[in-house]
């Protein structure tokens, strides 16, 4: 990666002499072979030491911990809202795909999915915060306290929820259309099940399975979208952390942040597998 | 739906291929800045006095080049990996699938941002980077389809008759993969376009290319939002949305619901 | 007394290339208490007839004619009214239990579902009657199977579970759609025994739809032979199987392994473009000039009807 770390820390303009730079390098262990440096890094990781940020002058671990909570506050509700709303609308849309309402909600979901996340965020920010003054312009909180945080979160969570709802709606709709035609639905009807019962008691459970895995994986997807939302709304979460770290070439922070995001995504996948095992008896009982 | 998508997309394709024909003037030419839309400039002008409509039309090429380039690269890679894994199974499958899973685990947007910052902006850099991150989900889909096709009687028959694997893959397996490949390709293009727009918005795009994302970037950076110069950012934003939507419309009716499940914003 | 009386049933499906007529003027008379078999090759429309009777065709299908069940025209009923008939007065046994049972719900609940729907019973209350039926159908460890999931059952057990669900309200008419499809010889025998047993126990009429001629011959009272969406011949089972009148029926019998395994010549019928005149004439050894033109109507002779110009 380009950029001499020492020069980055010290600042390109400092104009230190070569000998002094070499001394700093030795102190930081940067003169050791790369493999040795990596080994040292891993060792430090295991001890819980993520290193120190060049740019923020703080421990990487504490930086990440302080920021990731906020990002989860943004992403968490969006995943849940998206799953609930998307499942509901998608199920209805898939069960009667030819109905006008179904077509409209599907088209709307496609349109939302096609919009760049930051564009939607900026539009809403401009219309509702800047022009109409309904919501605060930036940050996670201004005066502090629970209602204030909610007020600040409202718009960004809405933006992210729109995206996760659109995605989950599409998945549920497709899943429902597939299940609708299956023999067990016909058999349920043959036993006298009315439309509603066939939908709720039979098709819905099977149709939900792909959605469950999708919703848990949404965590990873939303991290990407959350990044832009955080930038647009000037909120101090993981997204802005990464963005600023990249601009400042702050490697420890980047490595730590990457690790943190990857772990979260991994956790999401594990959760998705567990959720699937709970919901699908074929998996659960066999184990 | 597909027809609407194709019509819409051909409009953008026209813009990208023959900007000179459609555009009212040269996008670099300067007029009075900050002009709202009017008879002289249908979409107004930006801070430098460039005609926004001209910028929009010329910008189509930049956005589409990245999108289509990534689509082709990612789909080709995904096809190779998925077909090999699904057809040969065994150790090949294990290795390739591990590679695929690892690639899928990487958080894409942060990764792209990081790489974007360290390398020079521009399509020549963006396409390979995006292509190398986007192939994995196509590989997964191709693999499961390849596994299905492999079980089919005509493949077994071909093998029994002594045809070589490569021949079978080309003549028997490949045609059946097209039905999943085409929607995946379209969605990859759509997703890449959104990513390019997002990256440009952050300032990581090619400043000389005037892509739609860069237009919004300048609008944001040079006070277009706070000054209410809606035509400056609304046009490229809508253009991106509509172009992506047209691809999604074509893709969703082509392959059924499942490929769309991933969505362009992944 | 007739249980099911079908007159002039037509079913059309809209396709991109036009309307496809899957069932073309079918007449059926199913007498109370008898076993009527509807036989024919794949694609002849026999399953479509069953779906039309049950009102389970896809919403874009166009149905014409009359389907009288115990005096009521089923085609005139709304879907809600029809739902009240399904499962209670007419039971349907689908083929392939692995697909017909909901994979994520327990077997006991699915068998007892008609009780919940039509009698308003609670889930717990259905356990008793369901267990009773399972025992009647030869399940050994009833308690365990009540709570099992479909994937835990073997093919034969699954088939019997479907039968239990269809029979649990003792419907007047039972329609069995290819109950032995894909089953091996031993299981086929079991299913046949079940069908015979339930018939004698509950006194229901059985409409058996199958291409398994051996099964049809074994348990039917009367037989209806279909080809290309039309009824080609009907008659008492033993008479028809021993001495079929229609050339197609005769060819079907000849194709049985025990009769020489002789295949029916010619390509199968294209339902999108049926031939003029008699539908079977391109493959019929007795076809004459008059068979190629004009519509062929069925003619009756005592207990039997035949749709063939060479016989009348």
């Amino acid at each position: 990666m380009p950029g001499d770390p020492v020069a980055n820390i010290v600042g390109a303009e400092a104009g230190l002499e070569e000998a002094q730079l070499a001394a700093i390098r030795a102190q930081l262990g940067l003169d050791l072979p790369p493999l040795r440096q990596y080994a040292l890094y891993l060792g430090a990781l295991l001890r819980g030491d993520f290193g120190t940020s060049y740019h923020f002058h703080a421990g990487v671990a504490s930086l990440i911990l302080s920021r990731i909570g906020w990002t989860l506050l943004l992403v968490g509700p969006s995943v849940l809202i998206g799953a609930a709303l998307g499942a509901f609308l998608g199920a209805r849309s898939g069960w009667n795909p030819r109905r006008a309402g179904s077509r409209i909600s599907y088209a709307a979901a496609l349109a939302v999915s096609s919009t760049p996340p930051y564009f939607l965020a900026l539009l809403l920010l401009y219309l509702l915060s800047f022009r109409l003054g309904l919501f605060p312009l930036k940050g996670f909180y201004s005066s502090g306290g629970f209602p204030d945080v909610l007020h600040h979160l409202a718009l960004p969570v809405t933006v992210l929820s729109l995206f996760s709802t659109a995605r989950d709606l599409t998945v549920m709709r497709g899943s429902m259309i597939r299940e609708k035609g299956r023999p067990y639905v016909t058999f349920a009807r043959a036993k006298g099940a009315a439309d509603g019962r066939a939908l709720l008691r039979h098709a819905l459970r099977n149709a939900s399975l792909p959605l469950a895995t999708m919703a848990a994986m949404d965590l990873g997807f939303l991290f990407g979208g959350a990044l832009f939302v955080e930038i647009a709304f000037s909120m101090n979460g993981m997204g802005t952390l990464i963005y600023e770290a990249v601009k400042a070439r702050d490697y420890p922070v980047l490595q730590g942040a990457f690790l943190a995001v990857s772990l979260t995504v991994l956790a999401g996948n594990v959760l998705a597998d567990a959720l699937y095992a709970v919901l699908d008896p074929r998996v659960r009982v066999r184990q | 739906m597909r027809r609407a998508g194709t019509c819409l997309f051909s409009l953008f394709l026209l813009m990208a291929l023959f900007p000179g024909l459609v555009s009212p003037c040269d996008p670099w030419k300067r007029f009075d800045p900050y002009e709202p839309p009017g008879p002289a400039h249908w979409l107004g002008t930006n801070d430098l006095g460039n005609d926004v409509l001209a910028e929009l039309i010329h910008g189509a090429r930049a956005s589409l080049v990245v999108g289509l380039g990534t689509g082709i690269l990612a789909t080709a890679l995904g096809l190779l990996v998925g077909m090999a894994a699904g057809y040969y199974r065994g150790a090949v499958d294990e290795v390739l699938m591990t590679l695929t899973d690892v690639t899928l685990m990487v958080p894409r947007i942060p990764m792209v941002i990081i790489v974007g910052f360290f390398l020079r902006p521009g399509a020549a850099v963006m396409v390979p980077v995006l292509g190398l991150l986007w192939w994995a989900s196509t590989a997964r889909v191709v693999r499961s389809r390849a596994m299905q096709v492999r079980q089919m009687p005509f493949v077994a028959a071909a093998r029994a008759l002594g045809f070589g694997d490569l021949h079978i893959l080309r003549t028997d397996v490949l045609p059946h993969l097209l039905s999943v490949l085409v929607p995946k390709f379209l969605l990859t293009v759509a997703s890449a376009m959104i990513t390019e727009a997002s990256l440009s918005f952050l300032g990581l795009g090619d400043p000389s290319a005037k892509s739609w994302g860069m237009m919004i970037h300048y609008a944001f950076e040079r006070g277009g939002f706070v000054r209410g110069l809606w035509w400056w950012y609304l046009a490229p934003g809508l253009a991106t949305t509509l172009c992506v939507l047209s691809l999604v419309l074509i893709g969703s009716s082509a392959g059924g619901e499942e490929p769309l499940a991933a969505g362009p914003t992944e | 007394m007739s249980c099911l009386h079908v007159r002039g049933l037509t079913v059309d499906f809209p396709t991109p290339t036009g309307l496809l007529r899957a069932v073309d003027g079918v007449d059926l008379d199913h007498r109370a208490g008898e076993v009527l078999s509807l036989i024919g090759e794949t694609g002849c429309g026999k399953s479509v007839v069953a779906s039309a009777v049950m009102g389970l065709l896809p919403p874009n299908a166009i149905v014409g004619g009359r389907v009288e069940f115990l005096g009521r025209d089923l085609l005139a009923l709304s879907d809600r009214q029809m739902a009240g008939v399904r499962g209670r007065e007419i039971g349907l046994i689908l083929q392939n239990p692995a697909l017909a049972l909901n994979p994520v719900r327990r077997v006991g609940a699915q068998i007892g579902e008609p009780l919940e729907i039509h009698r308003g019973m609670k889930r717990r209350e259905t356990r008793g009657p369901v267990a009773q039926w399972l025992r009647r159908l030869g399940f050994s460890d009833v308690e365990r199977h009540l709570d099992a999931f479909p994937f835990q059952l073997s093919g034969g057990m699954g088939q019997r579970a479907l039968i239990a669900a269809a029979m649990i309200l003792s419907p007047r008419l039972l329609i069995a759609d290819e109950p032995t499809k894909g089953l091996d010889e031993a299981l086929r025998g079991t299913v046949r025994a079940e069908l015979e047993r339930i018939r004698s126990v509950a006194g229901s009429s059985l409409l058996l739809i199958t291409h398994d001629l051996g099964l049809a011959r074994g348990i039917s009272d009367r037989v209806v032979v279909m080809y290309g969406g039309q009824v080609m011949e009907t008659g008492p089972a033993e008479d028809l199987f021993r001495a079929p009148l229609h050339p197609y029926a005769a060819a079907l019998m000849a194709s049985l392994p025990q009769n020489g395994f002789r295949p029916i010549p010619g390509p199968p019928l294209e339902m999108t473009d049926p031939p003029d005149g008699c539908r079977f004439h391109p493959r019929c050894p007795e076809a004459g000039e008059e068979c190629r033109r004009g519509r062929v109507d069925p003619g009756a002779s005592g207990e039997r009807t035949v749709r063939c110009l060479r016989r009348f």
Side-chain angles (χ1 to χ4, degrees):
Chain A
M1 289 210 265
D4 179 13
V6 181
N8 283 341
I9 300 173
V10 173
E13 306 88 33
L16 289 177
E17 279 190 24
E18 189 53 45
Q20 287 171 304
L21 287 172
I24 300 178
R25 262 194 220 107
Q27 185 191 34
L28 291 172
L30 288 168
D31 54 342
L32 295 170
L35 213 58
R36 188 101 202 279
Q37 288 189 42
Y38 193 57
L40 281 174
Y41 179 69
L42 283 179
L45 267 190
L46 288 170
R47 269 180 281 124
D49 178 11
F50 276 67
T52 312
S53 158
Y54 302 152
H55 180 69
F56 295 93
H57 306 292
V60 170
S62 60
L63 256 179
I64 292 177
L65 280 175
S66 70
R67 299 270 191 134
I68 201 162
W70 290 110
T71 300
L72 284 176
L73 200 56
L74 195 58
V75 172
S78 306
V79 170
L80 293 173
I81 294 175
L85 206 55
F88 174 65
L89 291 173
R92 286 186 51 180
S93 180
W95 190 247
N96 286 315
R98 289 181 219 278
R99 242 185 35 198
S102 308
R103 288 191 205 256
I104 291 175
S105 59
Y106 183 48
L110 289 182
V112 169
S113 298
S114 305
T115 315
Y118 67 87
F119 181 62
L120 196 62
L122 287 174
L123 264 185
L124 287 179
L125 186 63
Y126 179 67
L127 283 173
L128 294 175
S129 297
F130 196 64
R131 274 307 197 79
L132 295 179
L134 287 175
F135 293 96
L137 278 173
K138 54 190 283 197
F140 276 104
Y141 55 84
S142 27
S143 48
F146 193 54
D148 181 52
V149 172
L150 274 182
H151 195 209
H152 278 265
L153 278 178
L155 214 47
V157 168
T158 305
V159 173
L160 279 180
S161 301
L162 272 174
F163 282 99
S164 65
T165 304
R167 197 166 119 106
D168 292 337
L169 191 155
T170 317
V171 171
M172 183 55 139
R173 183 178 188 271
S175 183
M176 183 59 87
I177 289 178
R178 233 195 337 262
E179 295 300 316
K180 206 165 82 111
R182 292 224 200 266
Y184 69 81
V185 175
T186 311
F187 189 56
R189 280 226 174 89
K191 288 188 277 185
D195 213 39
R197 190 191 175 97
L199 165 63
L200 285 173
R201 299 276 191 113
H202 290 272
L204 192 61
R205 286 215 215 164
N206 284 277
S208 308
L209 291 176
L211 187 64
T213 47
M214 267 283 155
M217 296 208 289
D218 260 350
L219 214 58
F221 144 70
L222 281 182
F223 257 97
L227 192 145
F228 290 103
V229 169
E230 284 182 21
I231 293 174
F233 285 89
S234 312
M235 302 174 116
N236 284 345
M238 286 298 290
T240 36
L241 180 67
I242 294 178
Y243 185 53
E244 289 174 37
V246 174
K247 277 204 282 196
R249 313 209 177 203
D250 193 337
Y251 301 132
V253 171
L254 281 178
Q255 279 178 309
F258 232 81
L259 197 63
V261 173
S262 298
L263 281 177
T264 316
V265 171
L266 189 65
N269 281 2
V270 170
L271 190 67
D273 281 343
L275 203 59
Y276 198 90
V278 164
L279 288 176
D280 188 347
R282 288 169 286 191
V283 175
R284 190 181 358 136
V285 174
R286 279 211 184 104
Q287 277 166 353
Chain B
M1 277 229 293
R2 188 199 287 195
R3 219 170 301 143
T6 327
C7 280
L8 196 55
F9 184 66
S10 22
L11 184 68
F12 290 109
L13 200 60
L14 186 68
M15 279 192 214
L17 289 173
F18 307 110
L21 281 181
V22 196
S23 174
C25 61
D26 179 29
W28 296 98
K29 188 153 179 226
R30 295 196 190 197
F31 300 90
D32 292 327
Y34 305 123
E35 285 288 319
H41 303 281
W42 287 5
L43 284 177
T45 60
N46 64 7
D47 68 322
L48 294 177
N50 303 127
D51 183 299
V52 172
L53 180 58
E55 276 194 317
L56 192 72
I57 292 173
H58 278 84
R61 179 178 292 188
S63 309
L64 276 173
V65 160
V66 174
L68 286 171
T70 308
I72 293 172
L73 181 60
T75 309
L77 281 175
L79 174 66
L80 284 172
V81 171
M83 201 162 61
Y87 185 77
Y88 287 110
R89 310 299 309 276
V92 173
D93 188 18
E94 290 287 329
V95 168
L96 288 178
M97 273 304 109
T98 312
L99 185 64
T100 308
D101 285 336
V102 167
T103 311
L104 281 173
M105 285 289 297
V106 173
R108 296 204 288 205
I109 302 285
M111 182 55 134
V112 171
I113 291 178
I114 292 174
V115 177
F117 252 112
F118 287 122
L119 301 174
R120 271 178 309 115
V125 163
M126 247 193 229
V127 168
V129 171
L130 293 182
L132 283 172
L133 286 172
W134 253 255
W135 62 265
S137 77
T138 302
R140 264 237 182 118
V141 170
V142 168
R143 171 183 178 263
S144 52
R145 189 88 179 95
M147 290 198 304
Q148 279 179 345
V149 173
R150 190 176 180 271
Q151 312 283 46
M152 288 189 186
F154 57 85
V155 172
R159 294 174 82 175
L161 287 171
F163 284 102
D165 280 334
L166 278 178
H167 177 90
I168 296 179
L169 282 174
R170 206 163 14 100
T171 32
D172 295 309
V173 178
L174 189 57
H176 289 265
L177 297 176
L178 286 178
S179 64
V180 295
L181 211 57
V182 170
K184 251 341 203 165
F185 168 71
L186 291 169
L187 287 177
T188 307
V189 175
S191 183
M193 284 187 71
I194 292 191
T195 310
E196 184 274 328
S198 308
L199 285 183
S200 302
F201 168 68
L202 292 178
L204 296 173
D206 188 349
S208 64
K210 276 195 189 284
S211 73
W212 293 329
M214 286 307 276
M215 286 172 74
I216 305 185
H217 169 70
Y218 289 129
F220 190 54
E221 200 140 289
R222 298 182 188 162
F225 271 87
V226 291
R227 288 197 227 183
L229 307 172
W230 53 270
W231 54 91
W232 193 2
Y233 57 84
L234 205 61
L238 278 180
T240 313
T241 307
L242 287 174
C243 191
V244 170
L245 185 60
S246 72
L247 287 168
V248 167
L249 285 177
I250 303 174
S252 68
S253 45
E257 308 296 335
E258 189 163 326
L260 188 64
T265 36
E266 196 182 30
Chain C
M1 193 204 98
S2 141
C3 161
L4 185 68
H5 185 79
V6 178
R7 274 288 166 275
L9 181 66
T10 58
V11 178
D12 295 301
F13 292 105
T15 66
T17 45
L19 277 180
L20 178 84
R21 178 153 282 200
V23 174
D24 186 15
V26 163
D27 295 338
L28 276 184
D29 256 305
H30 191 173
R31 299 179 199 145
E34 79 169 354
V35 177
L36 180 68
S37 285
L38 199 52
I39 62 179
E41 50 192 61
T42 314
C44 69
K46 51 195 197 298
S47 287
V48 180
V49 168
S51 301
V53 168
M54 290 289 280
L56 288 175
L57 289 169
N60 62 345
I62 305 165
V63 186
R66 276 180 74 82
V67 174
E68 263 183 42
F69 176 66
L70 301 178
R72 268 182 303 172
D73 183 8
L74 295 182
L75 296 180
L77 295 180
S78 72
D79 192 59
R80 173 146 291 193
Q81 290 168 313
M82 196 59 213
V85 172
R86 289 185 216 124
R88 191 165 59 95
E89 299 181 65
I90 308 180
L92 177 67
I93 302 172
L94 287 180
Q95 55 189 285
N96 201 335
L99 298 180
L101 290 172
N102 188 339
V104 299
R105 296 192 63 198
R106 296 183 201 271
V107 171
Q110 296 191 54
I111 298 177
E113 195 164 2
L115 292 172
E116 290 180 54
I117 296 172
H118 298 285
R119 297 253 176 90
M121 290 170 75
K122 298 278 198 303
R123 177 75 53 81
R124 213 159 300 155
E125 297 168 347
T126 66
R127 273 181 93 86
V130 171
Q132 210 177 10
W133 265 101
L134 287 181
R135 245 171 265 130
R136 197 181 292 170
L137 287 171
F139 277 78
S140 42
D141 191 350
V142 172
E143 277 306 310
R144 191 161 60 93
H145 288 124
L146 272 180
D147 293 321
F149 287 99
F151 71 88
Q152 294 168 305
L153 299 181
S154 71
M157 290 200 278
Q159 191 61 262
R160 279 179 274 163
L162 290 187
I163 294 175
M167 291 298 300
I168 201 158
L169 287 176
S170 301
R172 300 282 204 94
L173 172 65
L174 190 64
I175 304 178
D177 190 352
E178 307 273 13
T180 58
K181 191 169 195 176
L183 298 181
D184 60 40
E185 201 53 48
L187 278 177
R188 253 185 253 187
T190 317
V191 173
R192 180 180 148 170
E194 301 307 347
L195 290 177
E196 287 185 349
R197 186 180 0 183
I198 56 181
R199 223 226 334 165
S200 56
V201 161
S204 322
S205 316
L206 175 65
L207 177 63
L208 176 66
I209 297 173
T210 184
H211 59 253
D212 183 345
L213 300 179
L215 173 68
R217 184 171 192 168
I219 67 173
S220 312
D221 297 317
R222 285 176 60 242
V223 175
V224 172
V225 180
M226 278 186 74
Y227 181 74
Q230 295 177 330
V231 171
M232 290 298 170
E233 185 174 349
T234 69
E238 208 38 54
D239 294 344
L240 197 148
F241 275 98
R242 205 165 18 87
L245 289 177
H246 195 282
Y248 172 66
L252 263 187
M253 303 309 156
S255 70
L256 286 176
Q258 54 265 46
N259 292 347
F261 220 3
R262 274 166 290 173
I264 305 176
L269 184 61
E270 278 297 325
M271 288 303 286
T272 47
D273 187 23
D276 297 324
C278 171
R279 296 240 164 133
F280 187 58
H281 86 253
R283 306 166 76 182
C284 181
E286 301 179 44
E289 252 323 293
E290 70 275 23
C291 303
R292 293 185 229 283
R293 291 183 303 274
R295 195 184 160 75
V296 184
D297 289 316
S301 160
E303 280 288 303
R304 306 183 64 167
T305 66
V306 192
R307 191 194 290 261
C308 181
L309 293 175
R310 312 293 285 176
R311 299 284 177 265
F312 287 100

